[in-house]
Structure formats: structure tokens, C-alpha cells
Amino acid sequence: MDDGLRGKKPRSSGEYEAVIGTPGVPRPTRRGGQGGFDTLVVGAGFAGSVLAERLASQLNQRVLVVDKRPHIGGNAFDRYNDDGLLIHPYGPHIFHTNSAEVFDYLSRFTRWRPYQHRVLASVDGQLVPIPINLDTVNRLYGLSLTAFELEDFFARQAEKKARIETSEDVVVARVGRDLYNKLFRGYTRKQWGLDPSELDASVTARVPTRTNRDDRYFADTFQAMPAAGYTRMFESMLAHPNIHVMLNTDYRDIVNLVPWSHMVYTGPVDAFFDHRYGKLPYRSLDFAHQTLPQSNYQSVGTVNYPNDYAYTRCTEFKHLTGQQHPLTAIVHEYPTADGDPYYPVPRAENQALYRRYEAEADRVPHVTFVGRLASYRYYNMDQVVAQALATFKRMRAQHEQAQAALQLDATDSAAASDASTALAG
Ligand code: FAD
Ligand code: UDP
């Protein structure tokens, strides 16, 4: 798994003085290492909470976590609605990973409820499995192909592409244009406000194609939901006595008031630098939540609507949470250009703009940028946890290096003082 880290080297103190003077960039406000906080963490989502937990529990640091929202958990926050149903206000979050390290780490803070997500797509008046599998093709075309025959079917439909560059290429080169039009083109245009031909291949490549009847949305080794919900898991991560949490607080309001030595920043990277090179595009969503007066609504967790309606998908939370309740809660997702930044938009020109911000970030050694918005990557939750754990290891190595240098300084000055005492004697 790519941890998305930049190779930040420890710098000499002279260099440090030079960079912390960058205009508009907050400077550490703690003097002399007494009182205040070792680390100010901006954002209480996965990136911020993992780092806060690690720094507090492993390096005994005093950590202040600030979030401008009224809750912890970032976009993975969940809560009980007025009807007592557990919902995900920022859209359905399903945990899945191939990383035993990530799963073991999070398992310290939660028990799990095994859950394998299934999605149907509403196409031509039918509900068919997505990712495309043997049943999808047989139902859409009224065929009864076997898995072997399906491979030949795809080969006949597939368009030859010298290079796979866009999100259109990925799909048409594998399953052909008709399935692309039925399942991917409309959904992607709605979700991103762009044609798949304008998006990096990585976007639609998230959804595999199968020739068997496996109808799970994810194929990862670990697929489960936090048994008592995400917010409980975050509460447990942030429960360390060295961690203080301040909600409803934009970091800019306190950054010069509270003493801190290092910052971990997990918000949008362009906002940190006051959009000095222009805004990075982030795609947003409006969530239409509803409670329905019935115990069940749809047969699977999510139904996708690639070609009809302004929304992309509808999720019924009880499938994800396993909650027993006489009512049920659903959410429809309406993509928008404006609103909270939810999705970095993967395309070359945005990556080029991000690189300019990344170069700025590299020049600020007292701030560590981590997470989906701060590294402008379309990361899943497990990838953010992996990135945060890798970042912590790097921070710990730097801490140990600094401690060793201090130790060496202390030994040198003790030796110098012994020598001068001996000379004086
Ligand atoms: P965030 O969760 O965005 O946290 C950043 C925090 O920083 C926010 O709480 C924000 O309020 C705070 N912040 C920003 N600026 C400031 C400021 N100036 N001052 C103070 N605080 C600030 N991943 C999966 O693995 N599975 C899924 O099923 C899944 N579904 C998703 C569905 C949707 C609709 C979305 C949008 C994302 C989904 N994800 C999913 C991705 C997942 O949400 C992210 O990978 C993860 O939450 C990112 O964590 P983060 O800490 O990097 O960022
Ligand atoms: N996608 C699609 N049709 C679908 C499902 C996905 O076209 O039925 C495309 C769409 O571009 C989407 C991308 O594949 O944004 C990634 O899908 P995923 O379900 O991973 O999106 P997320 O859950 O991150 O919103």
C-alpha cells in the first residue's frame, strides 16, 4: 500500500528559523518546551486521531486535537438520528482492508461486526450486481453464459487501447462500450461532473470486473464494521489522558493563542496555504437522509442509479450496522461542485497544481501534512490509517534522533565542564 509520504529530512536549526518565517504560515508558539502542547493536530478524522493516539501513547506527548466541526471522526463520524437509527451523516462508510497492520491497530479500539457490502445497479428496469460479474451480464443480455464463456464475451466486446489513461479506457478496454454506457458513463458524469474520458484511470479502476458470481463490492481480506460504530471507536482512540480535544474550533482561531511545538494538519492542503496557487478542485455531495416507516427498504446495502435521477446511489444503513429497529434510515447522495470538500478529483492538471502545494508543504518542517485532503489523494479509510501509522514511525525516528543529539550535547558539555574543572584545579 502506498503511504503517500514525502521524504522529509530533519533540518538544521538555522534552516528551521528561515522557513518558519514563510508569510501566512503559522509558527510554533511554544517557547522553552514548558507547558502547552507538543503537537497541535488539526482535524479529528482518521488521520488526526491515529496520529494523536500514537504521539500521546508512544512518545508521551501532550496533544491538542482541534476540529472545526462539532464532533470527532471526520467524515467517518456516525450518530443515532432522532428515531434512534445509527446513520452516517457524511455518507455510507464501509471498512475494508488487506492490511493486517491497519486492522490490528484499529482492533485495539473497537470490536468488529463482520459485514460484506453488496451493491446492485438499477439498469434497464432491472437490479443487477455491480461490480460486473457473470450474473450482471447474463441478466442484462438474457444470456446463460458460463464463467469461461464470459471471458470470451468480454474479449469480443472490449475495445483495443494502446494505453489505458482515462476512466473510460479502463472500462471499455475490459468489457466494451455497451456495459460502459449502461453502468459507468452516467454514474461517473453525475458523480464527478466530468466525462470518464476526463478522469484518471484510477477512478473507475476502483471497481473490478469479475467473471464468477462473487457479488461482494470489495474483495479485501478484512471486511467489517466497528461493532458500536465509528464514533465510539474514535472516542476510544482519543481517550488517552495526554490528548485534549477542542471541537467547533477552526485552528486559525487558536493557532497563535495556544502554545504548541509541532503541527499535524489534516485539512485541505490548498486552504492551509490560503489558496495561493488557486483552489484545488474537490467534489462535494449533498446527503438527503430519511427515516422510513417500515423495517426494510432495499435488499442490499446500496443501490446505484447510473442513468436515472440526480442522485448516484441510495444506502440503507441497517444493512451496514446490523441494527434491529422497526423503522429504517436511508440516504441519497447528490453530487455537487460546491460544499464541504469530500473527494479530490484525480486528473493530471489537478495533480500538477497539488505538486505546487506539496512543494510548499515540504518547506514547512514544523507542519506534517497527512490524510485524504492534506495529501490530495482519493484514499479509503484504511489507506489513511496506513499513511498515518507510517507518518508516526517517521516522526518517532526523528524524535529519537533529536533525543540522541541532545544526549550527545549533554555528554559533550559535561565532558567540557569536567575538563575545565580539571584545568582550573
Ligand atoms: P477527514 O475525515 O476529512 O478529516 C479531516 C478533518 O479536518 C475534518 O473533520 C475537518 O472538519 C477538519 N478540518 C479541516 N479544516 C479544518 C480547520 N481549518 N480547522 C479545524 N479542523 C479542520 N472510505 C472507506 O474506506 N470506505 C468507505 O465506504 C468510504 N465511503 C466514503 C463515502 C463518502 C461519501 C466519502 C466522502 C468518503 C468515503 N470514504 C470511505 C473515505 C473516507 O471518508 C476517508 O478516507 C477518511 O475519512 C479520511 O480521513 P481524514 O482524516 O484524512 O479526513
Ligand atoms: N462507478 C460507476 N458506476 C458504479 C460504481 C462506480 O461509474 O456503479 C465509478 C464512478 O466514477 C465512481 C468510481 O467508479 O466514482 C468509484 O466508485 P466507488 O464506489 O469506489 O466510489 P466511492 O464509494 O468512493 O464514492
Side-chain angles (χ1 to χ4, degrees):
M1 192 178 295
D2 173 8
D3 70 14
L5 293 176
R6 295 179 294 278
K8 281 193 179 175
K9 293 189 288 293
R11 302 178 193 222
S12 70
S13 56
E15 200 181 345
Y16 187 74
E17 290 301 324
V19 267
I20 62 176
T22 309
V25 170
R27 309 163 188 201
T29 46
R30 189 161 79 157
R31 301 280 170 263
Q34 295 302 308
F37 296 94
D38 298 294
T39 302
L40 169 62
V41 174
V42 179
F46 269 102
S49 299
V50 169
L51 272 159
E53 187 283 323
R54 290 287 79 190
L55 292 167
S57 72
Q58 303 302 299
L59 300 185
N60 197 30
Q61 286 199 4
R62 279 174 56 77
V63 181
L64 175 64
V65 180
V66 295
D67 202 301
K68 62 183 183 184
R69 289 173 172 170
H71 57 72
I72 57 173
N75 287 336
F77 167 69
D78 55 12
R79 70 172 178 88
Y80 286 88
N81 71 8
D82 291 345
D83 302 297
L85 285 152
L86 184 58
I87 62 160
H88 299 178
Y90 303 100
H93 278 69
I94 298 113
F95 187 81
H96 56 101
T97 189
N98 284 317
S99 165
E101 186 190 0
V102 166
F103 193 71
D104 289 348
Y105 171 74
L106 293 177
S107 301
R108 297 176 195 189
F109 311 105
T110 187
R111 289 177 298 104
W112 298 96
R113 168 182 181 264
Y115 172 68
Q116 300 202 317
H117 194 50
R118 286 183 167 77
V119 180
L120 294 171
S122 170
V123 179
D124 298 344
Q126 297 192 63
L127 291 177
V128 296
I130 179 91
I132 294 172
N133 71 8
L134 184 59
D135 291 318
T136 314
V137 173
N138 281 338
R139 279 198 228 155
L140 280 177
Y141 297 108
L143 299 171
S144 45
L145 301 175
T146 63
F148 292 115
E149 289 165 342
L150 182 58
E151 205 49 87
D152 290 339
F153 175 91
F154 284 151
R156 282 195 303 277
Q157 305 295 318
E159 288 183 14
K160 292 238 174 335
K161 294 271 167 198
R163 286 223 305 270
I164 305 292
E165 283 172 351
T166 71
S167 270
E168 177 183 302
D169 297 342
V170 173
V171 185
V172 297
R174 176 74 178 111
V175 300
R177 196 151 292 268
D178 198 53
L179 283 168
Y180 163 77
N181 284 335
K182 286 185 191 309
L183 289 150
F184 284 88
R185 186 168 177 269
Y187 187 110
T188 303
R189 289 171 72 97
K190 259 195 281 190
Q191 170 71 11
W192 299 95
L194 293 167
D195 191 78
S197 60
E198 300 170 294
L199 276 169
D200 282 3
S202 60
V203 177
T204 51
R206 289 167 59 89
V207 185
T209 300
R210 302 195 179 116
T211 51
N212 58 20
R213 304 190 63 194
D214 185 354
D215 64 348
R216 296 169 308 156
Y217 202 64
F218 307 110
D220 302 55
T221 316
F222 306 96
Q223 303 188 38
M225 299 291 287
Y230 288 97
T231 304
R232 287 281 171 279
M233 180 178 76
F234 281 100
E235 280 170 1
S236 164
M237 288 169 90
L238 295 171
H240 195 281
N242 286 0
I243 301 177
H244 297 254
V245 179
M246 224 172 162
L247 299 175
N248 296 303
T249 308
D250 192 306
Y251 81 99
R252 286 165 197 267
D253 295 337
I254 54 103
V255 74
N256 294 317
L257 302 176
V258 175
W260 55 275
S261 300
H262 190 85
M263 182 189 289
V264 167
Y265 179 82
T266 75
V269 63
D270 54 338
F272 184 87
F273 292 105
D274 294 324
H275 307 105
R276 67 177 62 158
Y277 300 122
K279 284 197 164 185
L280 276 168
Y282 293 91
R283 192 72 175 155
S284 192
L285 294 169
D286 285 336
F287 299 103
H289 286 273
Q290 273 175 280
T291 297
L292 302 177
Q294 60 206 66
S295 60
N296 299 104
Y297 177 66
Q298 57 192 29
S299 65
V300 289
T302 298
V303 175
N304 287 356
Y305 294 87
N307 306 312
D308 313 299
Y309 312 112
Y311 50 81
T312 48
R313 57 188 178 187
C314 174
T315 297
E316 182 178 14
F317 290 108
K318 283 166 88 177
H319 290 278
L320 284 56
T321 61
Q323 190 178 3
Q324 302 290 319
H325 197 293
L327 308 178
T328 195
I330 60 170
V331 64
H332 290 93
E333 296 173 50
Y334 293 83
T336 67
D338 309 309
D340 277 0
Y342 292 136
Y343 290 84
V345 184
R347 55 195 312 227
E349 65 199 66
N350 300 348
Q351 200 52 26
L353 179 55
Y354 166 67
R355 291 283 169 225
R356 299 185 70 188
Y357 284 111
E358 186 187 33
E360 287 293 332
D362 282 342
R363 283 197 278 275
V364 189
H366 60 283
V367 183
T368 303
F369 294 81
V370 204
R372 173 150 148 150
L373 305 172
S375 31
Y376 200 67
R377 287 185 190 226
Y378 188 177
Y379 276 153
N380 292 328
M381 295 181 281
D382 65 318
Q383 293 171 300
V384 172
V385 174
Q387 187 196 29
L389 291 175
T391 304
F392 170 70
K393 285 179 193 155
R394 195 174 295 232
M395 290 172 83
R396 181 172 58 191
Q398 286 177 0
H399 171 84
E400 283 165 0
Q401 230 174 310
Q403 293 292 104
L406 274 178
Q407 194 78 41
L408 209 60
D409 274 359
T411 318
D412 283 355
S413 50
S417 132
D418 285 354
S420 66
T421 315
L423 277 177

